[in-house]
DNA sequence: CGCAATATGCAAATCAGTTGCATATTTATT
DNA sequence: AATAAATATGCAACTGATTTGCATATTGCG
């Protein structure tokens, strides 16, 4: 692939970089109404394939995207729908999983529960 | 809620019970073409709310469902798309996550990588 | 600049899942 | 067992997220 550094491509990526937390395609389009939603989808797909950003699927209706400084995990509050980002020692988790005969590329832990504000 | 034990409801649940692995709404409809897809969706939602089955979202286009004997986790092979089911010591994982100020109801670990047959 | 490759916008399509409503089945009541 | 109320089902139509086709615009290279 011979990718081009277009203006809109950079704007979309910068929006993700500077935003703390996750954004859906629609969230980005609301922030950047001058960019067509289709262009946003195409670039999110592209960035995801290039592993520049991460697509997060928490079982909600829209996929979420984030620029990931360092790999981390997510907890979803069933009460207020807030997403909490947290890190965990991957090596130790990997040991606990004990997956033989499987080349582990990525571990993603999704926690469901209730956040401090909701209980 | 006052649920009724209808024939089709039982057939859908038995299909999930006797199937080893996960099934999507569409998978079930192919196995049970005599049952309307809407009825399948409505019953899958119902079973999920009643915690009789579990909805699994692996980032694929369709949600997957399974009748869960005991809680466990999933690994998805990026090469052959196979889903591997595995258990892990939840208590120990929970400790590693160290989520303070969050009431953890459920931990779901999703692993991506390559299965033994694909490498 | 001039050209080929790639990206964008718009409209239309697709696809999973949902909703409204008339009819059918189940379950409680007589 | 008949009746009635409650719940479930099927069909058609809808929704909302994401994708695709295609004409036009932008980018990067010589
Ligand atoms: Mn995050
Ligand atoms: Mn499973
Ligand atoms: Zn909360
Ligand atoms: Zn595989």
């Amino acid at each position: 692939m011979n990718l081009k550094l277009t203006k809109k491509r950079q704007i979309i990526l910068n929006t993700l970089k500077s935003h703390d937390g996750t954004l859906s395609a629609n969230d980005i389009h609301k922030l950047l109404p001058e960019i067509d939603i289709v262009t946003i989808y195409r670039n999110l797909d592209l960035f995801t394939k290039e592993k520049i950003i991460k697509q997060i699927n928490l079982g909600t209706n829209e996929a979420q995207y984030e620029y990931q400084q360092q790999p981390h995990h997510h907890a979803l509050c069933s009460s207020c729908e807030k997403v909490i980002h947290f890190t965990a020692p991957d090596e130790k988790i990997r040991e606990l999983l004990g997956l033989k005969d499987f080349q582990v590329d990525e571990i993603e832990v999704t926690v469901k529960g209730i956040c401090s504000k909701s209980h």
Side-chain angles (χ1 to χ4, degrees), chain A:
Chain A
M1 294 165 222
N2 231 335
L3 307 182
K4 294 185 175 178
L5 240 68
T6 64
K7 274 185 185 176
K8 299 191 168 178
R9 182 160 290 169
Q10 292 175 71
I11 294 172
I12 294 169
L13 188 56
N14 284 337
T15 299
L16 281 163
K17 274 188 187 175
S18 63
H19 182 88
D20 191 31
T22 64
L23 289 171
S24 68
N26 250 302
D27 291 339
I28 297 172
H29 187 239
K30 274 171 205 146
L31 294 171
L32 306 171
E34 73 274 17
I35 303 179
D36 196 279
I37 185 77
V38 178
T39 299
I40 293 171
Y41 273 116
R42 285 197 267 234
N43 278 296
L44 289 174
D45 286 353
L46 180 74
F47 296 150
T48 303
K49 275 177 194 132
E50 298 292 322
K51 312 219 179 200
I52 297 167
I53 65 171
K54 207 158 156 12
Q55 188 189 57
I56 292 156
N57 207 308
L58 295 172
T60 49
N61 48 348
E62 292 177 304
Q64 299 289 126
Y65 299 86
E66 70 181 10
Y67 181 83
Q68 249 191 358
Q69 307 291 140
Q70 67 282 320
H72 61 261
H73 307 283
H74 298 97
L76 178 64
C77 175
S78 324
S79 172
C80 72
E81 302 292 303
K82 195 172 66 168
V83 176
I84 288 148
H85 310 248
F86 67 93
T87 54
D90 261 46
E91 287 310 311
K92 286 180 182 170
I93 290 176
R94 186 179 298 230
E95 281 167 29
L96 287 181
L97 303 186
L99 280 169
K100 315 217 172 220
D101 299 334
F102 195 89
Q103 177 201 308
V104 174
D105 292 338
E106 193 187 317
I107 296 172
E108 214 178 310
V109 179
T110 304
V111 174
K112 281 174 190 159
I114 311 282
C115 81
S116 56
K117 290 196 174 155
S118 299
H119 66 227

